[in-house]
């Protein structure tokens, strides 16, 4: 993968074109005072995966039996209902 370095000011003024170049496979290094600070790289297909229905990050899938039961009167009063 080819790598090209840009100083921070230059990167700010050309950000759209640098992102486009990175999306096409070029590695863009952003430097300040000649010291590399950040790198723009393309997002690989493995980084964008669809969510699985019913799943979450913690693997917890639980729905209480009384989930849709009416709220108690004292809770309704707290909401002004």
């Amino acid at each position: 993968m080819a790598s090209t370095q840009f100083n921070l000011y230059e990167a700010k003024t050309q950000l759209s074109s640098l992102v486009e170049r990175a999306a096409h496979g070029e590695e863009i290094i952003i430097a300040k005072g000649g010291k590399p600070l950040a790198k723009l790289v393309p997002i690989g297909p493995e980084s964008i995966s669809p969510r699985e229905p019913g799943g979450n990050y913690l693997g917890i899938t639980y729905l209480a039996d009384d989930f849709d039961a009416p709220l108690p009167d004292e809770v309704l009063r707290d909401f002004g209902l």
Side-chain angles (χ1 to χ4, degrees):
M1 184 182 310
S3 177
T4 308
Q5 184 167 305
F6 292 86
N7 68 47
L8 187 57
Y9 176 78
E10 193 176 15
K12 287 193 311 187
T13 61
Q14 298 180 32
L15 184 59
S16 294
S17 65
L18 294 179
V19 169
E20 196 64 36
R21 286 170 64 175
H24 286 95
E26 187 175 347
E27 185 176 275
I28 307 292
I29 305 295
I30 300 172
K32 183 175 183 180
K35 180 181 177 186
L37 296 177
K39 178 171 35 175
L40 289 176
V41 295
I43 295 178
E46 70 280 348
S47 298
I48 304 172
S49 57
R51 286 187 59 201
E52 293 183 25
N56 59 42
Y57 288 113
L58 298 176
I60 301 169
T61 304
Y62 171 77
L63 189 59
D65 292 335
D66 63 349
F67 171 77
D68 57 352
L71 292 172
D73 289 337
E74 61 271 11
V75 173
L76 292 173
R77 273 194 305 275
D78 289 341
F79 283 103
L81 301 173

